[in-house]
Amino acid sequence: MKPSKELDVLFSAEQIAARVKQLGEKIERDYDDKELVLLGVLKGSFLFMSDLSRAIDLPLQVDFIGLSSYGEATESSGVVKITSDLSRPIEHKHVLVVEDIVDTGLTMRYLLDNLATRHPASVKLCTLLNKPSRVRTRIPLDYLGFEIEDRFVVGYGLDAAEKYRNVPFIGTIKRG
Ligand code: IMP
Ligand code: MG
């Protein structure tokens, strides 16, 4: 079966595109005249990053960082490792982290603490999704696409065991 047929739509491609455009406009206003680095968190942010970057008409740089939680559990342990580091220093740069989803917040807590040791001019977070019911450490969500209930979502970069990342909308897996 086609992956997209296995899902119930939560946010359509059109809804996502409209929200990404709004976020891009806000970021463009806020970072005018600043040296901005968009930092995508792999792999989940790859589509959001490519769309968001094209919605910001500023002379920005893009970079990526690969993170993974230790263990295969679906629950975040808070023990995170960097699987692929930034390609360039971020000292004195304004960094905007681009993330797919904040769940417990433990992954972002680790990343934000790690980035702070590299002396950037500023660090802010742009996350497409947030699950407020699951929060275990409060992360400032400077730019947020959508808040969702405590449901496992896939598509538009998000996966279940590496599947569904290429589905152009965000949805939940149909039962049975
Ligand atoms: P946290 O550390 O609990 O905030 O987990 C964040 C990471 O878990 C995200 O970057 C995702 O990779 C993954 N994650 C959390 N919830 C979902 C979901 O509903 N679908 C797919 N991945 C998720
Ligand atoms: Mg992620």
Side-chain angles (χ1 to χ4, degrees):
M1 191 153 58
K2 295 189 181 205
S4 65
K5 303 284 184 236
E6 298 172 16
L7 306 181
D8 289 318
V9 180
L10 188 58
F11 299 110
S12 68
E14 293 73 23
Q15 282 176 294
I16 297 168
R19 190 73 186 114
V20 169
K21 186 165 177 285
Q22 290 174 338
L23 290 172
E25 286 166 358
K26 175 121 193 359
I27 292 164
E28 189 176 312
R29 283 197 301 275
D30 292 352
Y31 283 90
D32 198 17
D33 292 333
K34 296 216 173 89
E35 260 192 274
L36 175 61
V37 179
L38 283 190
L39 176 55
V41 182
L42 294 172
K43 296 179 235 175
S45 74
F46 84 106
L47 290 179
F48 183 38
M49 178 77 161
S50 70
D51 288 340
L52 183 68
S53 64
R54 285 178 286 182
I56 304 169
D57 196 2
L58 291 177
L60 55 79
Q61 294 176 23
V62 299
D63 209 340
F64 293 94
I65 191 164
L67 299 178
S68 79
S69 287
Y70 279 109
E72 289 295 301
T74 53
E75 183 86 4
S76 191
S77 60
V79 184
V80 178
K81 80 176 162 187
I82 295 177
T83 55
S84 160
D85 206 354
L86 298 179
S87 67
R88 287 167 166 261
I90 52 169
E91 193 169 11
H92 309 312
K93 301 269 169 89
H94 293 277
V95 177
L96 181 60
V97 175
V98 180
E99 172 65 309
D100 53 358
I101 184 165
V102 174
D103 187 14
T104 63
L106 293 171
T107 303
M108 269 310 103
R109 168 56 49 223
Y110 171 87
L111 178 61
L112 296 176
D113 289 350
N114 179 285
L115 294 177
T117 67
R118 309 181 195 212
H119 308 295
S122 70
V123 180
K124 284 192 184 183
L125 172 62
C126 178
T127 183
L128 182 62
L129 302 171
N130 179 41
K131 283 186 195 169
S133 60
R134 299 253 305 160
V135 69
R136 286 177 57 192
T137 171
R138 200 155 292 284
I139 301 291
L141 305 176
D142 303 290
Y143 304 94
L144 169 62
F146 305 100
E147 274 192 353
I148 61 169
E149 290 168 25
D150 183 11
R151 296 162 76 188
F152 195 80
V153 295
V154 295
Y156 195 67
L158 292 110
D159 74 306
E162 296 301 324
K163 195 173 166 185
Y164 305 113
R165 288 195 197 275
N166 59 322
V167 173
F169 59 86
I170 294 170
T172 53
I173 300 167
K174 288 176 184 165
R175 293 207 200 132

